Amino acid sequence: MLQLLGDPPFCTLAIAVICLLLFIPNIARTSTFAVCLLPTRVFSSAQVYRIFTYPFFHAGFFHILFNLIAWFMLANNFEKTVGTLGAFYVIFVLFIPLSALLQCAVSFIIDALASTQFRNDCAVGISGVLFAILVVNIHVSATSSISFFGLFNISANWYPWVLAVILQLLSPRLSFMGHISGILMGYALVLGYLRVITPSDEALHSVEDKLGLRTWPLWQSNPSIVDLTYATRSFLPQATSSSSNNRSFMQSVRDAGSRFLSWLTPSSASSSSTQPFASRGQTLGGNTQSPATGRVPSHSRLLRPPEPKPTNSDTSGKQSSQDSSEQHVSEGGVAVTEKQPTDTS
């Protein structure tokens, strides 16, 4: 059964089960007003719980069906890239609450400027998180263009925006504001703007060890921890330059604008500015798969060059040096017992 779903890891399967368990008792109900994301209730009535309930409820059968199909397609690769613990953190601590707060704030701002009623929109469903994950997957993928359901190709950098617009035209009842908020949160993560509240790989690794999470069924360890040739401190881009804090505010704004505009320009996977990203990437919507050489900011501490393997000459040199030292000790009349290293694998 799980093979039909693409062998989903722990977090992907758990969230899908939560959505189903919450949907089944409410099949006969037509209203999700009590749990939806309603900006007026979140701010004016302090119903903060709506920020965490709205993604897991759906308005109808086809709503949850299409969302779960997309969920297994996107979340599988996402969790295998950042690990199960990283996926839980990103989804529950970053994507869900931050995109919800952004959606509420933008709704009030637009209503104040354009006399609209976005603040009274009642949104449910996990599609906003899906758009954020889509941005991360595109960041990891090596592709420069994506096929839109086999109809035509779209620049990978434009794909989330075009998809949000087309879906809105096909179904005007969708939460366009929720989709856009998810896209922005995805960009905020991959471009490193959430690095202050993003844990290091070592922190995730420590939590996994202390709680024994790696022995859990379907648990996916962070690939950058399993293979240290890929990462050092962060499972997603984080800046390490000490001089970055000394830059002026306007310089930071210009740099942010330049990086954002670079995402709107198609780039080839073989360009000199690309570097390997942790784990493997899959071309989204395409017919082929290729190893990931995703675009990673130059200031990222994601990458670390692999340790050089010892050559035969180095090995023989070390062996001869060891033999000579052992001979010298023996001639001096001193007995030495070497302690063999313990295999901790």
Side-chain angles (χ1 to χ4, degrees), residues 227-232 303-311 314 318:
D227 187 355
L228 289 177
T229 62
Y230 284 112
T232 55
L303 302 175
R304 185 182 70 184
E307 296 293 336
K309 295 182 179 180
T311 60
D314 295 338
K318 292 181 179 179

Side-chain angles (χ1 to χ4, degrees), residues 102-123:
L102 177 62
Q103 180 179 347
C104 293
V106 172
S107 297
F108 274 98
I109 294 174
I110 294 179
D111 288 352
L113 297 176
S115 299
T116 54
Q117 294 294 322
F118 284 111
R119 64 182 181 276
N120 293 321
D121 286 348
C122 191

Side-chain angles (χ1 to χ4, degrees), residues 65-140:
L65 175 64
F66 290 126
N67 271 1
L68 287 185
I69 291 175
W71 175 256
F72 284 112
M73 293 175 60
L74 297 175
N76 282 359
N77 290 336
F78 173 73
E79 185 173 349
K80 292 173 183 177
T81 298
V82 303
T84 297
L85 189 58
F88 270 116
Y89 182 89
V90 170
I91 292 173
F92 284 92
V93 179
L94 301 181
F95 284 167
I96 291 178
L98 295 184
S99 61
L101 291 174
L102 177 62
Q103 180 179 347
C104 293
V106 172
S107 297
F108 274 98
I109 294 174
I110 294 179
D111 288 352
L113 297 176
S115 299
T116 54
Q117 294 294 322
F118 284 111
R119 64 182 181 276
N120 293 321
D121 286 348
C122 191
V124 292
I126 204 168
S127 55
V129 177
L130 283 171
F131 271 94
I133 291 177
L134 175 62
V135 172
V136 177
N137 285 357
I138 290 176
H139 182 80
V140 175

Side-chain angles (χ1 to χ4, degrees), residues 42 152 154 182 341:
V42 172
F152 52 87
I154 304 175

